[in-house]
Amino acid sequence: MKISKFCFMATALSLATFAANATINLTDDISLSGFGSTSITQSDNATPLYINHEITDDTCFDCDTTLGLQGNIRFNNSFNVSIQVVKRPQDEWSSPELEWAYIGYSVSNFNLKVGRLRLPLYLSSEYYYVGQAYTSARPPQEIYNSVLGITSYNGISGSWDIELNDENYLTLTPYIGIESDDEVYIGPMRYDFNIEKTVGLYSELSGFDYRIMFNYSHFKYAVESNYQGLSQPYTADSINIYTLGIEHSWDQLMLTTEVLIDSLHFNWYSSLAYNIDKFTPYITYAESHHYQKNNSLLLGVRYDLTTTVSLNAEWKYTDGNGGDNGELIADPADGDFDAQLYTVMLNFIF
C-alpha cells in the first residue's frame, strides 16, 4: 500500500488526535505535539460568511488561522493527563482557548476521563481544529458550525470498547457535564451562554473500511445577548441534538455523510473524495433547513506535500434559496443571499 493511500485512509478512519502523528517525545512518559492552519480566502458577498470566521469580499489572510499545542503525560499504564490549548480563528494570539484538560484512567476495555473534554457531536470532533486530519480545508460548516462553535464541556465521560468480532468494534461513551460558561460573537453581538447541564451518549460501530457514529446530546442553558454594552436578560431553554455520521471507503474512494437534527436544524452533507497518489480531489453537497436555510456545492483538491503538511484549494457556492442563507451571519444590505467562497489553505502538524 502506498504511503499516500495509507495517510488518506488514516485521515478518514482514525479516532486518535492527528497531531499525535508528529509527537515529540520529551521523555518516555511526556510528549508534545502541535498543529496549525492558515489560509487565503475571499467571498464574493460583502456580508460576513461563517460564525467565528467572518469571511467577506475582502481578501483575508487570517480568517482561518489556527495553532494548537497538546501535551500528554503518562504516569503508568492506567493514569494519564492530556492538555490541549488552541488559538482558534476567533481568538487573539494573546488569549488562546483551553480546549481540553483532563485526567484519564484506563483499565481493560474501559476508559474514564474527568476534566474539560471535547463534545463528541461529529465524526471529526476529536480532532476538530486539526486541519491536517480531514480532507477538505474546513469540515462542512452546515454541520460543524451549527452549534455556534461550542466544542468543549466540563465534566466526565466513560468509554467501553467492545470487540464484536475480529473485524468490528463497538464503542459506547456516555458523558455528563457540569455548569459552565461560554461566549459567542456574531458580528457586533455577544452571546453569553450559561450551560447548566450537559448529558449525552456517543456510540460508534467501526471496522477496517468504515465508521458509523450516532450521538445524542441534551443541553439545558441560559443565554444573554449583549450589543455595545447593552444587555438583554438571560433566556432559559433546553435543546436535544441528534447526529449521525457514516464513513466508508472502497480502495481509493471515500464517502462521508453526516446529519444533524434538533429543534432549530435539519442539516446534512455528503462528500466523495478520491485519492490519486498525493492528490485527493473531493466534492461535497450540503443542505440546511428550518432555522438555517441554504444548500451548497463545494469542489476542491488536497495535495499532501509531506505526511505532515497539506495544501487545499477550494471553491464553494452557497445558494440562499431566494431569500435566506444560514451561513451569512446577518441579512445582506443589498439583498444578495448567495455567496461564492474561494480558499487556499495550508495545514500542518508537528
Side-chain angles (χ1 to χ4, degrees):
M1 181 179 291
K2 293 182 180 180
I3 292 176
S4 59
K5 183 178 177 183
F6 174 78
C7 292
F8 174 69
M9 290 288 296
T11 294
L13 298 178
S14 176
L15 277 177
T17 302
F18 276 71
N21 290 344
T23 297
I24 301 171
N25 293 311
L26 303 179
T27 70
D28 290 342
D29 299 316
I30 302 175
S31 63
L32 180 68
S33 56
F35 53 89
S37 300
T38 189
S39 73
I40 303 172
T41 188
Q42 185 176 4
S43 170
D44 68 347
N45 197 311
T47 304
L49 190 69
Y50 299 156
I51 296 170
N52 299 326
H53 295 265
E54 300 193 8
I55 303 166
T56 68
D57 56 357
D58 290 328
T59 302
C60 184
F61 296 91
D62 62 354
C63 290
D64 294 294
T65 302
T66 302
L67 184 65
L69 290 174
Q70 180 176 320
N72 296 286
I73 303 174
R74 185 183 63 185
F75 295 104
N76 53 44
N77 290 333
S78 296
F79 283 97
N80 73 288
V81 171
S82 183
I83 299 174
Q84 186 183 95
V85 178
V86 183
K87 184 275 171 198
R88 306 169 299 173
Q90 66 266 36
D91 295 329
E92 299 291 337
W93 285 102
S94 59
S95 55
E97 182 75 8
L98 182 65
E99 269 298 299
W100 74 47
Y102 63 81
I103 298 173
Y105 173 76
S106 299
V107 57
S108 185
N109 63 341
F110 175 74
N111 182 265
L112 180 71
K113 295 179 180 179
V114 179
R116 185 164 180 82
L117 307 172
R118 180 66 53 78
L119 274 172
L121 297 180
Y122 316 115
L123 284 169
S124 300
S125 287
E126 191 72 10
Y127 40 89
Y128 184 87
Y129 291 107
V130 187
Q132 179 73 356
Y134 33 82
T135 304
S136 57
R138 310 173 191 87
Q141 296 297 288
E142 288 85 353
I143 295 290
Y144 285 77
N145 216 9
S146 57
V147 292
L148 306 181
I150 297 175
T151 56
S152 301
Y153 72 99
N154 298 325
I156 184 171
S157 73
S159 293
W160 284 266
D161 296 317
I162 304 168
E163 183 177 354
L164 302 179
N165 52 48
D166 290 342
E167 297 181 355
N168 299 284
Y169 298 85
L170 176 66
T171 300
L172 298 175
T173 307
Y175 53 94
I176 299 175
I178 60 175
E179 186 173 2
S180 62
D181 297 317
D182 214 324
E183 61 182 25
V184 176
Y185 288 84
I186 303 179
M189 295 289 294
R190 188 188 78 227
Y191 294 89
D192 297 317
F193 285 87
N194 176 248
I195 303 173
E196 301 176 18
K197 181 172 67 174
T198 301
V199 179
L201 174 65
Y202 176 92
S203 60
E204 179 174 301
L205 181 66
S206 63
F208 173 73
D209 58 358
Y210 77 94
R211 288 172 59 198
I212 302 173
M213 60 78 63
F214 173 77
N215 179 78
Y216 163 75
S217 298
H218 171 78
F219 301 93
K220 183 178 180 182
Y221 65 92
V223 58
E224 179 186 55
S225 59
N226 187 297
Y227 178 73
Q228 295 181 347
L230 300 176
S231 300
Q232 296 292 329
Y234 274 98
T235 301
D237 205 346
S238 63
I239 192 169
N240 297 306
I241 299 177
Y242 304 86
T243 51
L244 172 68
I246 300 172
E247 285 181 338
H248 199 292
S249 68
W250 296 269
D251 295 325
Q252 294 158 285
L253 181 67
M254 175 67 68
L255 170 68
T256 307
T257 298
E258 291 190 78
V259 181
L260 180 144
I261 300 173
D262 59 39
S263 57
L264 299 175
H265 307 92
F266 172 56
N267 297 358
W268 67 273
Y269 78 87
S270 188
S271 180
L272 281 172
Y274 190 82
N275 177 243
I276 309 169
D277 197 24
K278 293 186 176 183
F279 290 91
T280 305
Y282 51 91
I283 180 172
T284 302
Y285 178 77
E287 291 186 358
S288 299
H289 300 275
H290 302 333
Y291 174 71
Q292 295 177 321
K293 298 177 183 178
N294 56 263
N295 56 280
S296 68
L297 177 67
L298 181 147
L299 299 174
V301 61
R302 166 174 165 150
Y303 177 70
D304 289 291
L305 286 83
T306 70
T307 57
T308 60
V309 181
S310 64
L311 188 67
N312 288 75
E314 284 186 358
W315 167 83
K316 180 177 181 179
Y317 172 69
T318 303
D319 182 359
N321 293 321
D324 202 351
N325 187 345
E327 298 196 316
L328 298 174
I329 69 172
D331 290 337
D334 59 4
D336 182 9
F337 283 84
D338 297 345
Q340 296 189 69
L341 177 63
Y342 305 90
T343 301
V344 176
M345 178 89 74
L346 178 70
N347 296 303
F348 54 91
I349 56 177
F350 59 90

